[in-house]
Amino acid sequence: MTRRALLGSGAGAAIVSSGLVQAATRIASPDFVIRSGELSIAVTALSDRAFRVRVAPLGAPPATPSEMLAPIAKPPTPKRTREGGRTRLTLPHAQCVWDEATGCLSFHDGAGNVLLSETPGSRHVAQSTIGNEPTLAVSQGFASPTDERLYGTGCFQDGHLDIRGLPRRLTQVNTQISQPFVLSSKGYGLLWHNPGMAELNRPDRPIVLTRQAAAGAARMADVTTSTGNARVQRRDAEFTGTFTVPQGGRYAFLLDLGRKMSSRHYVEIDGKPLTDLTNVWLPPTASFIGELAEGEHTVLVRASDEDVPVLHVAPVDDRTTWSSPVSEGIDYVVIAGPTAAEVMAGYHALLGPQPMMPLWALGYIHCRERFHSSDEILATAREFRARKLPCDMMVQDWQYWGKYGWNAMRFDEDHYPDPAGLVRDLHAMDMRLMLSVWSKVGKETELGKDVAAKGFYIPGTEWIDFFNPVAAHFYGRQQNQKLASLGIDAWWQDATEPENDDLAGRPIYAAPGRTQPGETRRNLYPLQVSRTVYEEQRRAYPDKRVMILTRSAAPGQQRYGAATWSGDIGHDWETLKRQIPAGLNMAAAGQAWWTVDAGGFFRPGKGQYTDPAYQERFLRWFQFATFLPMTRVHGYMTDTEFWRYGDTVERVARFYLELRYRLLPYTYALAAEASEAGMPLIRPLVFDFPNDPNALDQVHAYMFGSAIHVAPVLAAGVKTWDVYLPVSEGGWYDFWTGEHREGGRTHPVPVALDRIPLHVRAGSIVPLGPVGQSTARLLGGELDLLVYPGRDGSAALYEDDGLTYRYEQGAAARTTLAWKQAAGVLTLGARRGNYPGMKTSRAIRAHLMRPGDSALSVSSGVAVEYAGRAKQMILGT
């Protein structure tokens, strides 16, 4: 029985609920063990392209079973050879070499080419304590050549895409999602396999800062807190200092503001701002790299008056260093490519099955903070339909519980008299309902009193201890009985960091009758929440796909139907600009499902509805969001509906909504690729153009799948936007105008308020379906296939019922598409598979796109009736 089949059965649910699945994740026996001084170094093959390395003191207990990685049914056995002072472990696609002379491990691709090497003398394991518990503080360095680019570590607000040499502190807080995984342009991936906090390239030198006497004027700010909306007073302060560097070069900085959250990241070096971002909530650390001359330098930090900032600095060298202050030892996994797709497939295989999202999750998701009643939700849904603005989901944010108290898992009947009827009414309009449910439960609620009586709270908080399998099962069962039974379709599991990094300093469940410091599993809380909701939902409703939107994530969460977003961000141009590398680094870290609050969460108040400057910014946000895995808006204390901003905003938004729905055959095939092979829907250019150095330098452009290049507009009032198009055989075609442009060049592309630069790569086959008001019944019908000539190409169509897990038993249809440039022939492959309700025949029109042909105004093309048998369509060249 497969793991998926097991989880879908009653027996699987019982095992999950008792916590035995986690316990069954046994550690594979090492394939090679080395003694190095007082340390034991164990190397284990995990797959045909991945090795795990664990370094611990001699005699240390076995490693705790992994919560990030899935169980390995049958680990491979590598071939072991010895060459002088070197021992080599060989797998089909990877090699690991131990060098006795250097005392280091190196990792190679299947052909023996070096991908990654430990640096001599960089391995450190030291005894430490956390609370009263013994622990280890560890670090490990790896060689990083100057032409390497590194991507990943998750969603950060520092604006960097290439993180080589950049310091980052990996904690889970609002607007920061930490993933201890990096993807290298050199052809490998590395997972720092530690459930606690991790640091990347930690600078070792603090700069002394002095608070200046004069602080800024006080101001009031509307904020969200873990107990609801609040209005708080804030004041800025300035801190100054000096430091000296012995030689010129690139230097890396980490700003630590000394609190769990802050609101200002601003640092000047010698009068030049090197980072500048303001928001209601920001992470406690920020990073940047600057070029410095030899000698003394001045520092100015602007921060909140409550902050206690420290700025750390170190030179950027040819090394990447991972460290953890709380650990069981050095523990990392290396996955060999050499292509990014092979790395992602290898990582995906280690993480375990990634379920398909429901089809409707790829439609438009409408949020606001907040709806106040069922009547408001239904009135808004009807207005979307009346105005023919495509939409698949209404989202009820927090506080619908009203008089019952925080997250009581009850609707206040004064405003929501019939929640089940609300869901039925939305379903009748082909819409769905997502509901905000928190991982904390107010102690004043009936549910909270039950939680407290059972001892399921993390002490000193109102957060449920999801590390306790009995507490997790209780929570999941309550959510099923009280809310899922109403027919609710999707879950907004908010604040699953938990908010403000609240495991630090708290005891959490370790085993019956025992606790452990929260720091030991500090970054895994969001994974445990998503696991609980997913597995309990699959047990209770085995034929209904689970969809979770959550504000944080950890490796392994991919198994649990969870998408993330970038948190409570601001609305300015700088914030928009920084979301692009934030999302691309989530993709590079293996998290395929990520999105934003389009328009920004914290917005400029009532004036936003008539302010042309904000309207322009809002449209640029929404255009970007159209080409994300999920498309949604949200806004604090805002009615976010498009029509409230006037005719222009509504018109342009409708245009992009309709395009999003027409692209559904394309995006659903990308969703299947994510599920089957771990490929993200949005991709930094290293995925497709690893050999183009200029492409690797592009921070604010990306691929949406393998065919469409997206370059969002990130400034006001521009008439053209510079776009670097990567080197690619056959060049590129402007999606809107059909203009052919060469790769390997930067082009000034004309833009208007209703256009952002979109280009299609030569050799691509882009399927377009009809416009629909929802995703219901939208797949399986007529298709237009846009064929962009210039090189051979291929694509795929994937379809299933969009709602159930029957695809796990093979109920899905796949069709390969192939374009041969020299012959001018498009081949529709024989359809493989079927699913209940599938249309057996469909009209397909193929269009050979020539320079000047717009994707949205194609001719009649070459038409065929496709009934599943292979067909060739002659289009010319």
Side-chain angles (χ1 to χ4, degrees), residues 31-32 34 43 45 51 77-91 94-100 104-116:
D31 296 293
F32 184 49
I34 314 128
V43 181
F51 289 98
T77 302
K79 178 183 178 183
R80 182 169 165 178
T81 56
R82 187 167 174 82
E83 310 154 359
R86 292 159 63 91
T87 300
R88 184 181 302 269
L89 304 178
T90 301
L91 295 167
Q95 300 174 18
C96 175
V97 176
W98 167 254
D99 190 325
E100 293 177 4
C104 292
L105 294 165
S106 59
F107 303 88
H108 310 245
D109 64 18
N113 301 305
V114 176
L115 300 175
L116 176 68

Side-chain angles (χ1 to χ4, degrees), residues 369-602:
E369 196 283 315
R370 56 189 165 86
F371 289 110
H372 299 83
S373 68
S374 295
D375 288 344
E376 277 190 4
I377 294 174
L378 290 172
T380 303
R382 292 179 184 119
E383 193 68 14
F384 267 91
R385 291 291 181 255
R387 292 174 179 267
K388 296 195 179 303
L389 290 162
C391 182
D392 264 84
M393 179 177 285
M394 293 284 120
V395 180
Q396 173 64 60
D397 204 345
W398 60 359
Q399 303 194 54
Y400 57 88
W401 45 75
K403 62 190 177 189
Y404 293 113
W406 190 275
N407 197 42
M409 294 194 185
R410 291 187 66 178
F411 285 85
D412 187 335
E413 297 90 349
D414 293 344
H415 304 284
Y416 302 86
D418 181 9
L422 166 64
V423 174
R424 288 194 299 271
D425 288 345
L426 287 173
H427 286 182
M429 289 185 271
D430 286 328
M431 284 200 193
R432 307 279 165 172
L433 180 66
M434 175 185 282
L435 186 69
S436 172
V437 185
W438 283 56
S439 307
K440 62 176 290 185
V441 177
K443 291 183 178 179
E444 79 285 358
T445 65
E446 288 185 16
L447 178 59
K449 292 173 183 176
D450 200 3
V451 171
K454 295 180 184 327
F456 291 160
Y457 280 121
I458 294 174
T461 78
E462 293 183 336
W463 302 107
I464 306 297
D465 191 344
F466 284 88
F467 298 105
N468 180 343
V470 180
H473 177 57
F474 172 81
Y475 178 97
R477 190 172 67 247
Q478 295 300 308
Q479 186 165 328
N480 278 348
Q481 293 174 355
K482 298 178 185 297
L483 297 174
S485 61
L486 302 172
I488 292 163
D489 302 283
W491 306 102
W492 188 352
Q493 300 291 151
D494 207 348
T496 56
E497 299 84 12
E499 189 151 82
N500 296 337
D501 195 18
D502 212 13
L503 291 190
R506 313 278 190 192
I508 60 172
Y509 177 90
R514 285 204 311 111
T515 63
Q516 60 185 317
E519 286 85 349
T520 61
R521 298 161 86 182
R522 186 172 177 178
N523 282 346
L524 292 192
Y525 190 82
L527 182 150
Q528 297 297 342
V529 177
S530 293
R531 178 185 67 83
T532 296
V533 174
Y534 175 82
E535 292 181 342
E536 291 291 343
Q537 289 275 303
R538 285 211 66 171
R539 179 193 62 79
Y541 304 98
D543 213 27
K544 179 180 179 179
R545 289 188 199 175
V546 181
M547 189 264 172
I548 299 167
L549 180 65
T550 185
R551 205 170 65 188
S552 194
Q557 195 161 311
Q558 293 93 329
R559 295 189 292 271
Y560 304 125
T564 62
W565 89 103
S566 59
D568 296 347
I569 53 175
H571 63 81
D572 54 82
W573 288 108
E574 181 64 22
T575 299
L576 169 56
K577 184 178 180 181
R578 294 184 183 211
Q579 299 318 295
I580 299 172
L584 296 179
N585 273 329
M586 278 292 279
Q591 294 285 350
W593 295 98
W594 176 91
T595 187
V596 297
D597 289 345
F601 179 66
F602 292 110

Side-chain angles (χ1 to χ4, degrees), residues 358-367 377 380-381 384-385 388-395 423 425-434 488-490 547 622 630-633 642 657-658 660-662 664 667 770-779 801-803:
L359 178 64
W360 40 259
L362 279 73
Y364 173 61
I365 300 172
H366 183 68
C367 310
I377 294 174
T380 303
F384 267 91
R385 291 291 181 255
K388 296 195 179 303
L389 290 162
C391 182
D392 264 84
M393 179 177 285
M394 293 284 120
V395 180
V423 174
D425 288 345
L426 287 173
H427 286 182
M429 289 185 271
D430 286 328
M431 284 200 193
R432 307 279 165 172
L433 180 66
M434 175 185 282
I488 292 163
D489 302 283
M547 189 264 172
F622 190 69
M630 292 178 175
T631 300
R632 57 188 283 277
V633 299
F642 303 107
L657 286 169
E658 291 179 349
R660 173 79 181 186
Y661 279 72
R662 288 206 68 191
L664 189 62
T667 55
V771 173
Q773 292 304 297
S774 79
T775 58
R777 300 169 296 280
L778 206 54
L779 287 185
D801 64 24
L803 300 174

Side-chain angles (χ1 to χ4, degrees), residues 675-698:
S675 178
E676 294 166 1
M679 278 291 280
L681 285 75
I682 59 171
R683 304 163 189 178
L685 299 180
V686 69
F687 275 75
D688 296 278
F689 310 100
N691 299 317
D692 182 348
N694 292 325
L696 301 187
D697 289 337
Q698 304 306 305

Side-chain angles (χ1 to χ4, degrees), residues 568-795:
D568 296 347
I569 53 175
H571 63 81
D572 54 82
W573 288 108
E574 181 64 22
T575 299
L576 169 56
K577 184 178 180 181
R578 294 184 183 211
Q579 299 318 295
I580 299 172
L584 296 179
N585 273 329
M586 278 292 279
Q591 294 285 350
W593 295 98
W594 176 91
T595 187
V596 297
D597 289 345
F601 179 66
F602 292 110
R603 295 189 175 200
K606 294 181 179 179
Q608 65 183 290
Y609 301 113
T610 56
D611 178 9
Y614 180 74
Q615 291 175 357
E616 178 185 11
R617 200 156 63 246
F618 175 77
L619 286 174
R620 296 309 190 196
W621 272 96
F622 190 69
Q623 290 161 354
F624 164 54
T626 301
F627 301 97
L628 291 178
M630 292 178 175
T631 300
R632 57 188 283 277
V633 299
H634 195 31
Y636 183 53
M637 302 176 71
T638 300
D639 295 344
T640 55
E641 293 77 37
F642 303 107
W643 55 85
R644 302 185 189 280
Y645 296 86
D647 293 342
T648 299
V649 170
E650 182 178 352
R651 173 182 58 81
V652 176
R654 181 183 294 105
F655 179 84
Y656 278 87
L657 286 169
E658 291 179 349
L659 176 57
R660 173 79 181 186
Y661 279 72
R662 288 206 68 191
L663 282 167
L664 189 62
Y666 179 75
T667 55
Y668 203 53
L670 297 181
E673 189 178 27
S675 178
E676 294 166 1
M679 278 291 280
L681 285 75
I682 59 171
R683 304 163 189 178
L685 299 180
V686 69
F687 275 75
D688 296 278
F689 310 100
N691 299 317
D692 182 348
N694 292 325
L696 301 187
D697 289 337
Q698 304 306 305
V699 177
H700 301 109
Y702 62 95
M703 294 300 291
F704 183 54
S706 61
I708 300 175
H709 180 280
V710 184
V713 174
L714 304 172
V718 296
K719 303 300 182 185
T720 61
W721 194 250
D722 286 345
V723 178
Y724 177 81
L725 294 174
V727 174
S728 184
E729 181 186 353
W732 299 81
Y733 293 83
D734 189 304
F735 182 84
W736 310 111
T737 67
E739 181 177 343
H740 183 266
R741 297 188 173 106
E742 295 180 9
R745 287 182 48 197
T746 297
H747 300 266
V749 178
V751 294
L753 187 60
D754 61 352
R755 295 289 186 272
I756 61 169
L758 291 180
H759 288 85
V760 183
R761 189 180 183 184
S764 297
I765 307 165
V766 179
L768 293 179
V771 173
Q773 292 304 297
S774 79
T775 58
R777 300 169 296 280
L778 206 54
L779 287 185
E782 295 184 357
L783 274 183
D784 287 288
L785 301 179
L786 311 186
V787 180
Y788 289 86
R791 67 183 180 108
D792 290 350
S794 62

